[in-house]
Amino acid sequence: MEFPETIRLTLEAQVQRYGTPACAQAARQLSLRYRSEGGGGKRLAVTGAEVAAYAVTRMPATFGAVYSALRWSLACVRCRPASLLDAGAGTGAASLAAAALLPLQKAVLLEREEEMIRLGRSLLESASLPCAEWRRGDIRDGLPLRAGLVVSSYMLNELSETELPQALKNLWDAAGEMLLLVEPGTPAGFSILRRAREQLTGQGAFVAAPCPHARSCPLPEGDWCHFTCRVARSRLHKQFKGGEAPFEDEKFSYLALVREPAQPVSARILRHPYKETGKITLQLCTNEGICPAAIRKRDGAAFKSARKAGCGDAFDFPALWENRPESAGQET
Protein backbone atom coordinates (compact mmCIF):
# COMPACT_ATOMS: atom_id res chain seq x y z
CA MET A 1 0.00 0.00 0.00
CA GLU A 2 1.55 3.27 -1.13
CA PHE A 3 1.57 6.35 1.08
CA PRO A 4 -1.33 8.57 -0.06
CA GLU A 5 -0.32 11.03 -2.77
CA THR A 6 -2.67 13.71 -1.43
CA ILE A 7 -0.84 13.63 1.91
CA ARG A 8 2.56 13.93 0.23
CA LEU A 9 1.43 16.98 -1.75
CA THR A 10 -0.06 18.64 1.34
CA LEU A 11 3.19 18.03 3.22
CA GLU A 12 5.21 19.63 0.45
CA ALA A 13 3.00 22.71 0.68
CA GLN A 14 3.55 22.85 4.44
CA VAL A 15 7.32 22.67 3.99
CA GLN A 16 7.16 25.61 1.58
CA ARG A 17 5.40 27.56 4.31
CA TYR A 18 8.42 27.30 6.61
CA GLY A 19 11.10 27.07 3.93
CA THR A 20 12.90 23.95 2.75
CA PRO A 21 16.28 24.90 4.34
CA ALA A 22 14.66 25.48 7.75
CA CYS A 23 12.82 22.16 7.60
CA ALA A 24 15.93 20.29 6.44
CA GLN A 25 17.85 21.71 9.39
CA ALA A 26 14.98 20.79 11.72
CA ALA A 27 15.04 17.22 10.37
CA ARG A 28 18.75 16.88 11.20
CA GLN A 29 18.25 18.27 14.68
CA LEU A 30 15.25 16.02 15.31
CA SER A 31 17.18 12.92 14.28
CA LEU A 32 19.91 13.76 16.78
CA ARG A 33 17.37 14.63 19.48
CA TYR A 34 15.45 11.36 19.10
CA ARG A 35 18.69 9.37 19.37
CA SER A 36 20.00 11.23 22.40
CA GLU A 37 16.88 12.32 24.32
CA GLY A 38 14.18 9.76 23.49
CA GLY A 39 12.74 7.46 26.13
CA GLY A 40 11.93 9.92 28.87
CA GLY A 41 8.71 11.45 27.67
CA LYS A 42 10.40 14.70 26.62
CA ARG A 43 8.84 16.97 24.02
CA LEU A 44 10.93 16.45 20.90
CA ALA A 45 9.06 17.92 17.89
CA VAL A 46 7.35 21.16 18.93
CA THR A 47 7.69 23.98 16.37
CA GLY A 48 5.90 24.10 13.04
CA ALA A 49 9.12 23.48 11.07
CA GLU A 50 10.06 20.56 13.31
CA VAL A 51 6.65 18.95 12.95
CA ALA A 52 6.67 19.39 9.16
CA ALA A 53 10.14 17.82 9.00
CA TYR A 54 8.99 14.99 11.25
CA ALA A 55 5.97 14.33 9.03
CA VAL A 56 8.03 14.24 5.83
CA THR A 57 10.62 11.84 7.23
CA ARG A 58 8.49 9.64 9.48
CA MET A 59 4.89 9.53 8.25
CA PRO A 60 5.48 7.20 5.25
CA ALA A 61 7.39 4.70 7.41
CA THR A 62 4.81 4.79 10.20
CA PHE A 63 1.99 4.40 7.70
CA GLY A 64 3.71 1.41 6.09
CA ALA A 65 4.53 -0.29 9.39
CA VAL A 66 1.03 0.11 10.85
CA TYR A 67 -0.62 -0.93 7.57
CA SER A 68 1.51 -4.10 7.40
CA ALA A 69 1.03 -4.97 11.08
CA LEU A 70 -2.73 -4.38 11.00
CA ARG A 71 -3.17 -6.34 7.75
CA TRP A 72 -1.36 -9.34 9.23
CA SER A 73 -3.34 -9.02 12.47
CA LEU A 74 -6.77 -8.80 10.83
CA ALA A 75 -6.05 -12.06 9.03
CA CYS A 76 -6.01 -13.78 12.45
CA VAL A 77 -9.26 -12.43 13.92
CA ARG A 78 -12.95 -12.25 13.09
CA CYS A 79 -13.52 -8.75 14.44
CA ARG A 80 -13.56 -5.73 12.14
CA PRO A 81 -13.57 -2.69 14.44
CA ALA A 82 -15.58 0.29 13.23
CA SER A 83 -14.12 2.78 15.72
CA LEU A 84 -10.50 3.80 16.30
CA LEU A 85 -8.55 5.48 19.06
CA ASP A 86 -5.10 6.53 17.84
CA ALA A 87 -3.11 7.14 21.04
CA GLY A 88 -0.12 9.40 20.52
CA ALA A 89 -1.30 10.04 16.99
CA GLY A 90 1.43 12.41 15.87
CA THR A 91 0.26 13.70 12.49
CA GLY A 92 -2.16 10.82 11.87
CA ALA A 93 -0.20 8.17 9.92
CA ALA A 94 -1.62 5.22 11.91
CA SER A 95 -5.19 6.46 11.44
CA LEU A 96 -4.66 6.69 7.68
CA ALA A 97 -3.37 3.11 7.64
CA ALA A 98 -6.33 1.84 9.69
CA ALA A 99 -8.82 3.68 7.46
CA ALA A 100 -7.31 1.96 4.42
CA LEU A 101 -8.11 -1.46 5.91
CA LEU A 102 -11.27 -0.97 7.98
CA PRO A 103 -14.71 0.61 7.41
CA LEU A 104 -14.17 3.15 10.18
CA GLN A 105 -17.18 5.14 11.29
CA LYS A 106 -15.31 7.07 13.96
CA ALA A 107 -11.64 7.85 14.60
CA VAL A 108 -10.39 9.80 17.62
CA LEU A 109 -6.77 10.92 17.46
CA LEU A 110 -5.15 11.77 20.79
CA GLU A 111 -2.02 13.92 20.64
CA ARG A 112 -0.36 16.24 23.15
CA GLU A 113 1.46 18.63 20.76
CA GLU A 114 -0.66 21.43 19.31
CA GLU A 115 1.47 21.73 16.16
CA MET A 116 1.11 18.01 15.49
CA ILE A 117 -2.67 18.37 15.74
CA ARG A 118 -2.72 21.42 13.48
CA LEU A 119 -0.73 19.72 10.74
CA GLY A 120 -2.43 16.36 11.21
CA ARG A 121 -5.87 17.89 10.90
CA SER A 122 -5.01 19.50 7.56
CA LEU A 123 -3.45 16.26 6.29
CA LEU A 124 -6.46 14.09 7.17
CA GLU A 125 -8.83 16.64 5.67
CA SER A 126 -6.88 16.44 2.41
CA ALA A 127 -7.22 12.64 2.57
CA SER A 128 -11.01 12.95 2.98
CA LEU A 129 -11.22 11.19 6.34
CA PRO A 130 -14.39 12.82 7.66
CA CYS A 131 -14.70 10.55 10.69
CA ALA A 132 -11.50 11.90 12.27
CA GLU A 133 -11.75 13.86 15.53
CA TRP A 134 -8.65 15.34 17.15
CA ARG A 135 -8.27 15.68 20.91
CA ARG A 136 -5.36 17.11 22.83
CA GLY A 137 -4.16 14.85 25.62
CA ASP A 138 -1.43 12.62 27.00
CA ILE A 139 -1.74 8.86 27.40
CA ARG A 140 -0.15 9.14 30.85
CA ASP A 141 -3.25 11.03 32.00
CA GLY A 142 -5.56 8.22 30.85
CA LEU A 143 -7.57 7.78 27.67
CA PRO A 144 -10.80 9.70 27.03
CA LEU A 145 -12.92 6.88 25.61
CA ARG A 146 -13.08 3.27 24.43
CA ALA A 147 -12.87 2.20 20.81
CA GLY A 148 -13.05 -1.07 18.92
CA LEU A 149 -9.43 -0.67 17.82
CA VAL A 150 -6.77 1.15 19.83
CA VAL A 151 -3.47 1.81 18.09
CA SER A 152 -0.23 3.01 19.65
CA SER A 153 2.57 3.47 17.12
CA TYR A 154 6.13 4.51 17.95
CA MET A 155 4.95 6.07 21.19
CA LEU A 156 5.68 3.67 24.05
CA ASN A 157 9.43 3.96 23.43
CA GLU A 158 9.15 7.64 24.39
CA LEU A 159 7.95 6.79 27.92
CA SER A 160 10.09 6.07 30.93
CA GLU A 161 10.37 2.59 32.45
CA THR A 162 8.16 3.56 35.37
CA GLU A 163 5.44 5.03 33.12
CA LEU A 164 5.14 2.02 30.83
CA PRO A 165 3.00 -0.38 32.94
CA GLN A 166 0.24 2.17 33.56
CA ALA A 167 0.31 3.30 29.93
CA LEU A 168 -0.16 -0.30 28.80
CA LYS A 169 -3.05 -0.74 31.21
CA ASN A 170 -4.67 2.46 29.92
CA LEU A 171 -4.37 1.27 26.32
CA TRP A 172 -5.80 -2.19 27.02
CA ASP A 173 -8.67 -0.83 29.11
CA ALA A 174 -9.66 1.41 26.18
CA ALA A 175 -9.60 -1.39 23.57
CA GLY A 176 -13.05 -2.87 22.98
CA GLU A 177 -11.87 -5.47 20.46
CA MET A 178 -8.21 -5.09 19.51
CA LEU A 179 -5.06 -3.32 20.71
CA LEU A 180 -2.27 -2.88 18.15
CA LEU A 181 1.19 -1.82 19.36
CA VAL A 182 3.91 -0.90 16.85
CA GLU A 183 7.44 0.00 17.91
CA PRO A 184 10.86 0.33 16.26
CA GLY A 185 12.34 -2.96 15.08
CA THR A 186 15.20 -2.74 17.53
CA PRO A 187 16.12 -4.72 20.66
CA ALA A 188 14.70 -1.87 22.75
CA GLY A 189 11.44 -1.72 20.77
CA PHE A 190 10.98 -5.48 20.94
CA SER A 191 11.70 -5.46 24.68
CA ILE A 192 8.78 -3.07 25.20
CA LEU A 193 6.43 -5.38 23.29
CA ARG A 194 7.69 -8.41 25.17
CA ARG A 195 6.83 -6.65 28.43
CA ALA A 196 3.43 -5.68 27.02
CA ARG A 197 2.76 -9.29 26.03
CA GLU A 198 3.57 -10.57 29.50
CA GLN A 199 1.59 -7.88 31.31
CA LEU A 200 -1.55 -7.86 29.18
CA THR A 201 -1.93 -11.60 28.63
CA GLY A 202 -1.89 -11.73 32.42
CA GLN A 203 -4.88 -9.40 32.32
CA GLY A 204 -6.87 -11.62 29.96
CA ALA A 205 -5.66 -10.51 26.51
CA PHE A 206 -5.32 -13.03 23.70
CA VAL A 207 -2.38 -12.81 21.28
CA ALA A 208 -3.53 -12.45 17.66
CA ALA A 209 -0.26 -11.64 15.89
CA PRO A 210 2.52 -11.99 15.08
CA CYS A 211 2.99 -14.94 17.45
CA PRO A 212 1.58 -18.40 16.50
CA HIS A 213 1.12 -19.18 20.21
CA ALA A 214 0.59 -17.58 23.63
CA ARG A 215 3.50 -19.25 25.40
CA SER A 216 6.73 -17.49 26.33
CA CYS A 217 8.67 -16.08 23.39
CA PRO A 218 11.14 -18.73 22.13
CA LEU A 219 13.70 -16.24 20.82
CA PRO A 220 17.07 -16.56 22.57
CA GLU A 221 18.66 -13.78 24.61
CA GLY A 222 20.05 -11.09 22.34
CA ASP A 223 17.69 -11.83 19.44
CA TRP A 224 14.52 -9.92 18.66
CA CYS A 225 11.43 -10.22 16.49
CA HIS A 226 11.11 -7.57 13.80
CA PHE A 227 9.69 -7.17 10.32
CA THR A 228 10.26 -4.88 7.34
CA CYS A 229 8.17 -2.81 4.99
CA ARG A 230 9.56 -1.00 1.95
CA VAL A 231 8.72 2.72 1.78
CA ALA A 232 9.01 4.91 -1.31
CA ARG A 233 11.02 8.08 -0.69
CA SER A 234 9.84 11.45 -1.98
CA ARG A 235 12.21 14.18 -3.16
CA LEU A 236 11.95 15.95 0.19
CA HIS A 237 12.38 12.71 2.11
CA LYS A 238 15.68 12.06 0.31
CA GLN A 239 16.78 15.66 0.81
CA PHE A 240 16.00 15.67 4.53
CA LYS A 241 17.49 12.27 5.32
CA GLY A 242 20.32 12.21 2.76
CA GLY A 243 20.98 9.65 0.04
CA GLU A 244 19.47 9.05 -3.37
CA ALA A 245 17.88 5.61 -3.01
CA PRO A 246 14.23 5.67 -4.18
CA PHE A 247 13.10 3.67 -1.15
CA GLU A 248 14.00 2.72 2.40
CA ASP A 249 13.22 -0.38 4.44
CA GLU A 250 11.47 0.35 7.72
CA LYS A 251 12.15 -2.23 10.43
CA PHE A 252 9.42 -2.51 13.04
CA SER A 253 8.09 -4.80 15.75
CA TYR A 254 4.41 -5.19 16.57
CA LEU A 255 1.92 -6.95 18.82
CA ALA A 256 -1.83 -7.37 18.33
CA LEU A 257 -3.97 -8.33 21.33
CA VAL A 258 -7.69 -9.07 21.29
CA ARG A 259 -10.58 -9.63 23.73
CA GLU A 260 -11.75 -12.88 22.13
CA PRO A 261 -9.63 -15.92 21.22
CA ALA A 262 -7.87 -15.41 17.89
CA GLN A 263 -6.90 -17.82 15.13
CA PRO A 264 -3.11 -17.37 15.06
CA VAL A 265 -1.13 -18.52 12.05
CA SER A 266 0.56 -21.92 12.22
CA ALA A 267 3.90 -20.31 11.44
CA ARG A 268 5.24 -16.81 10.80
CA ILE A 269 8.29 -15.97 8.67
CA LEU A 270 10.73 -14.13 10.94
CA ARG A 271 13.45 -13.11 8.50
CA HIS A 272 13.79 -12.41 4.80
CA PRO A 273 13.69 -15.74 2.93
CA TYR A 274 17.12 -16.92 1.82
CA LYS A 275 16.79 -17.89 -1.83
CA GLU A 276 19.13 -20.16 -3.73
CA THR A 277 18.70 -22.03 -7.00
CA GLY A 278 15.98 -24.59 -6.37
CA LYS A 279 15.90 -23.96 -2.62
CA ILE A 280 14.39 -21.37 -0.25
CA THR A 281 15.21 -21.37 3.45
CA LEU A 282 12.69 -19.83 5.83
CA GLN A 283 13.23 -18.90 9.46
CA LEU A 284 9.86 -19.72 11.04
CA CYS A 285 8.31 -19.07 14.42
CA THR A 286 5.97 -22.00 15.09
CA ASN A 287 3.98 -23.65 17.84
CA GLU A 288 7.02 -25.83 18.42
CA GLY A 289 9.49 -22.94 18.61
CA ILE A 290 11.91 -21.36 16.13
CA CYS A 291 12.44 -23.63 13.13
CA PRO A 292 14.51 -23.20 9.94
CA ALA A 293 12.73 -24.88 7.03
CA ALA A 294 14.36 -25.62 3.68
CA ILE A 295 11.79 -25.72 0.87
CA ARG A 296 13.02 -27.29 -2.37
CA LYS A 297 11.68 -27.09 -5.90
CA ARG A 298 10.47 -30.68 -5.68
CA ASP A 299 8.05 -29.58 -2.93
CA GLY A 300 5.76 -28.15 -5.60
CA ALA A 301 3.05 -25.91 -4.11
CA ALA A 302 5.07 -25.24 -0.95
CA PHE A 303 7.99 -24.01 -3.04
CA LYS A 304 5.71 -21.72 -5.06
CA SER A 305 4.28 -20.30 -1.84
CA ALA A 306 7.77 -19.76 -0.42
CA ARG A 307 8.83 -17.89 -3.57
CA LYS A 308 6.02 -15.38 -3.06
CA ALA A 309 6.37 -15.12 0.73
CA GLY A 310 8.23 -12.42 2.61
CA CYS A 311 9.27 -11.52 6.12
CA GLY A 312 6.19 -11.27 8.34
CA ASP A 313 3.93 -13.44 6.20
CA ALA A 314 2.13 -16.52 7.49
CA PHE A 315 3.32 -19.86 6.15
CA ASP A 316 1.35 -23.10 6.10
CA PHE A 317 3.81 -24.99 8.25
CA PRO A 318 1.68 -28.06 9.21
CA ALA A 319 0.76 -28.77 5.58
CA LEU A 320 4.40 -28.53 4.61
CA TRP A 321 5.44 -31.12 7.17
CA GLU A 322 2.57 -33.51 6.43
CA ASN A 323 3.39 -33.61 2.73
CA ARG A 324 7.13 -34.19 3.07
CA PRO A 325 8.79 -37.57 3.55
CA GLU A 326 11.48 -35.93 5.71
CA SER A 327 11.53 -33.08 8.20
CA ALA A 328 12.00 -29.74 6.50
CA GLY A 329 13.60 -28.48 9.68
CA GLN A 330 16.51 -30.92 9.18
CA GLU A 331 17.44 -29.46 5.81
CA THR A 332 19.47 -26.30 6.16
Side-chain angles (χ1 to χ4, degrees):
M1 180 69 179
E2 292 292 331
F3 187 64
E5 179 72 6
T6 55
I7 302 295
R8 185 184 65 79
L9 294 174
T10 304
L11 276 177
E12 290 180 356
Q14 289 292 323
V15 167
Q16 293 303 317
R17 174 183 177 185
Y18 299 106
T20 301
C23 289
Q25 177 65 17
R28 290 189 290 270
Q29 293 173 342
L30 272 177
S31 179
L32 177 62
R33 203 176 300 161
Y34 270 93
R35 288 197 300 269
S36 61
E37 300 179 28
K42 294 182 180 179
R43 300 176 67 194
L44 300 176
V46 179
T47 69
E50 288 172 343
V51 170
Y54 167 87
V56 168
T57 56
R58 287 303 306 160
M59 272 195 84
T62 301
F63 174 88
V66 174
Y67 182 91
S68 298
L70 183 56
R71 178 172 60 85
W72 288 325
S73 301
L74 289 172
C76 301
V77 297
R78 292 191 178 91
C79 66
R80 290 295 181 269
S83 59
L84 167 70
L85 174 59
D86 188 350
T91 49
S95 293
L96 288 169
L101 290 165
L102 291 168
L104 294 179
Q105 298 175 14
K106 181 178 182 181
V108 175
L109 295 87
L110 185 70
E111 171 56 44
R112 68 179 181 177
E113 297 295 345
E114 189 61 43
E115 282 296 325
M116 289 275 192
I117 294 174
R118 185 198 61 76
L119 177 57
R121 182 178 285 117
S122 67
L123 293 176
L124 266 60
E125 286 175 354
S126 72
S128 300
L129 195 63
C131 63
E133 174 190 343
W134 288 84
R135 297 193 190 184
R136 191 171 186 183
D138 193 311
I139 185 176
R140 291 169 293 188
D141 300 326
L143 296 175
L145 75 164
R146 283 171 60 89
L149 170 65
V150 175
V151 175
S152 166
S153 58
Y154 297 91
M155 185 269 293
L156 294 176
N157 65 93
E158 297 181 7
L159 303 180
S160 68
E161 288 282 326
T162 56
E163 293 170 332
L164 185 59
Q166 185 60 49
L168 290 170
K169 182 180 185 303
N170 291 345
L171 289 166
W172 179 239
D173 288 347
E177 297 172 271
M178 176 188 287
L179 170 62
L180 178 66
L181 307 175
V182 180
E183 290 295 324
T186 61
F190 176 66
S191 176
I192 290 171
L193 298 182
R194 205 167 193 167
R195 288 180 59 184
R197 190 175 186 269
E198 293 173 0
Q199 176 181 326
L200 298 180
T201 53
Q203 297 176 16
F206 295 94
V207 177
C211 315
H213 56 82
R215 298 192 300 274
S216 297
C217 178
L219 284 172
E221 190 70 27
D223 199 356
W224 67 99
C225 177
H226 62 283
F227 306 99
T228 305
C229 64
R230 179 153 289 186
V231 179
R233 303 177 74 199
S234 67
R235 174 186 56 84
L236 284 178
H237 191 283
K238 289 186 283 188
Q239 184 176 347
F240 288 3
K241 296 194 72 173
E244 292 300 322
F247 61 84
E248 69 174 1
D249 290 330
E250 173 71 4
K251 294 181 179 180
F252 64 95
S253 298
Y254 78 99
L255 176 67
L257 301 167
V258 288
R259 295 281 175 187
E260 301 294 333
Q263 300 86 42
V265 300
S266 58
R268 179 90 55 189
I269 301 174
L270 289 184
R271 301 289 183 263
H272 288 298
Y274 182 68
K275 298 181 180 181
E276 304 170 87
T277 303
K279 177 183 174 183
I280 301 172
T281 302
L282 304 178
Q283 188 77 358
L284 300 174
C285 181
T286 77
N287 234 355
E288 308 301 322
I290 306 300
C291 174
I295 322 306
R296 298 183 182 277
K297 196 169 185 178
R298 65 173 179 261
D299 294 313
F303 184 77
K304 291 181 180 178
S305 295
R307 285 178 59 186
K308 298 176 183 178
C311 176
D313 288 342
F315 198 78
D316 192 2
F317 183 74
L320 170 65
W321 278 63
E322 289 168 5
N323 295 330
R324 285 182 58 88
E326 57 191 6
S327 170
Q330 293 174 355
E331 291 190 57
T332 58

